[in-house]
Amino acid sequence: LYKAMTLSQLNRHDESVAELHLLQENSGQDLSVHFALALAYDNAGDTQNAINEYSKVIGSADEPENRYLKAYSYYGRGSIYERLGDYERANDDFNKSGETEDFIVYEFLSYAPSDNQLRQGLDNIILKNPSNSMVLYMRGLTYAHTNEWSAAWLDFNRAIELNPKLLGAYLWRSRAAQEQTGLFYDPFAIVIDLNKAFENEKYKTPCNIQNRGVAYEDAKNFDNANKDFEEVVRLTTNEIEKDPQNAFAYYIRGLAY
């Protein structure tokens, strides 16, 4: 598999596809091979075969181990539809990609150039397809990274309007709201956003629970605020017991106290 992917990166696409078909004969219906084939076909400009291979991954059984490949496949297929100008299908795939797992946004950003360069590329995509919820979410993160919180809030808000199942956007919209004291600061809305984000357990961290506690406090809901602060103290104390050098856990616990 790695050999085939390396061949594709070297623009030896025909060799890559042949290697993958040979691997497929030996491994059966391995989804990682279908995904690699989709990438190889896409790199070679064979969009129809790329779509077919992405669709095989997407149509596979909905098992936890398939989750990441399905998310990438929705995004990959959506990107092809977008290049072909089929924005309805593209946006449907982008939305399903976010529903499946919005971790791909962070992985994409980790390989990105500077915020300004990345934002320019995202701006160009949005000009062509203003309903691309995933790209709006990505652009919102670049604004958050440069502390442009009003612009970030607007992008996260629009991404949620387009794709209400994009839980990471709720988390970041709440963060953008908390970083401001004017138009967008509404502690009740922040609590609602965080409760929605917490439907994904990975977002229920001591830091985010602390932020919800602060929002409850600002909303004069002191009982729920204290419950959150107590939960933060419990969680961070457990982290400190495991790693006494965890400076961030001490910091968050100090805020909760």
Side-chain angles (χ1 to χ4, degrees):
L1 183 59
Y2 290 112
K3 178 183 176 182
M5 293 176 71
T6 301
L7 287 168
S8 184
Q9 289 172 351
L10 293 171
N11 294 322
R12 293 161 63 180
H13 304 303
D14 291 342
E15 293 174 68
S16 175
V17 168
E19 191 74 28
L20 288 166
H21 278 301
L22 182 61
L23 184 60
Q24 197 171 48
E25 290 175 10
N26 297 325
S27 63
Q29 297 301 309
D30 188 324
L31 290 186
S32 61
V33 178
H34 284 300
F35 180 73
L37 267 170
L39 291 175
Y41 279 129
D42 197 6
N43 288 335
D46 188 345
T47 56
Q48 189 53 59
N49 273 322
I51 288 171
N52 291 343
E53 294 299 330
Y54 281 133
S55 297
K56 288 174 184 176
V57 179
I58 290 166
S60 64
D62 196 16
E63 301 292 341
E65 60 268 23
N66 300 340
R67 188 175 179 90
Y68 293 167
L69 280 178
K70 291 181 83 164
Y72 278 117
S73 295
Y74 274 122
Y75 194 81
R77 191 176 70 176
S79 296
I80 294 174
Y81 286 139
E82 187 172 59
R83 292 200 304 271
L84 295 173
D86 189 344
Y87 297 124
E88 184 175 352
R89 284 185 178 180
N91 292 330
D92 185 53
D93 273 358
F94 291 142
N95 288 342
K96 287 175 181 173
S97 163
E99 292 169 22
T100 307
E101 190 67 40
D102 62 3
F103 82 98
I104 64 172
V105 172
Y106 299 101
E107 185 141 326
F108 174 84
L109 290 173
S110 69
Y111 293 103
S114 70
D115 290 304
N116 287 335
Q117 287 177 290
L118 174 58
R119 195 177 299 156
Q120 187 174 34
L122 298 176
D123 286 344
N124 290 336
I125 295 172
I126 291 167
L127 280 173
K128 295 176 183 175
N129 181 11
S131 297
N132 187 328
S133 60
M134 294 296 283
V135 172
L136 282 161
Y137 181 22
M138 291 178 195
R139 190 176 68 177
L141 289 171
T142 70
Y143 281 127
H145 192 246
T146 53
N147 296 317
E148 297 174 72
W149 293 107
S150 295
W153 189 96
L154 289 169
D155 273 356
F156 297 138
N157 189 62
R158 181 59 180 151
I160 290 167
E161 288 175 350
L162 292 166
N163 182 6
K165 295 184 180 180
L166 194 57
L167 298 184
Y170 289 95
L171 177 70
W172 280 95
R173 184 171 69 177
S174 75
R175 173 70 188 279
Q178 284 189 309
E179 291 290 338
Q180 301 174 88
T181 57
L183 178 62
F184 300 120
Y185 188 75
D186 178 349
F188 298 98
I190 290 168
V191 167
I192 292 170
D193 274 356
L194 286 169
N195 286 340
K196 183 67 178 177
F198 290 171
E199 290 179 14
N200 186 332
E201 284 294 321
K202 75 177 181 182
Y203 293 135
K204 205 170 184 180
T205 64
C207 182
N208 292 331
I209 295 171
Q210 169 68 17
N211 288 338
R212 186 177 66 178
V214 170
Y216 273 131
E217 191 172 52
D218 288 345
K220 311 300 182 187
N221 187 336
F222 299 115
D223 287 342
N224 279 333
N226 288 332
K227 287 177 184 176
D228 273 354
F229 296 145
E230 289 169 3
E231 178 68 0
V232 171
V233 170
R234 184 186 70 80
L235 292 172
T236 51
T237 299
N238 288 342
E239 291 182 8
I240 290 166
E241 288 174 355
K242 294 175 185 175
D243 178 11
Q245 304 303 314
N246 189 334
F248 187 67
Y250 282 109
Y251 171 70
I252 296 299
R253 187 171 70 174
L255 293 177
Y257 282 139

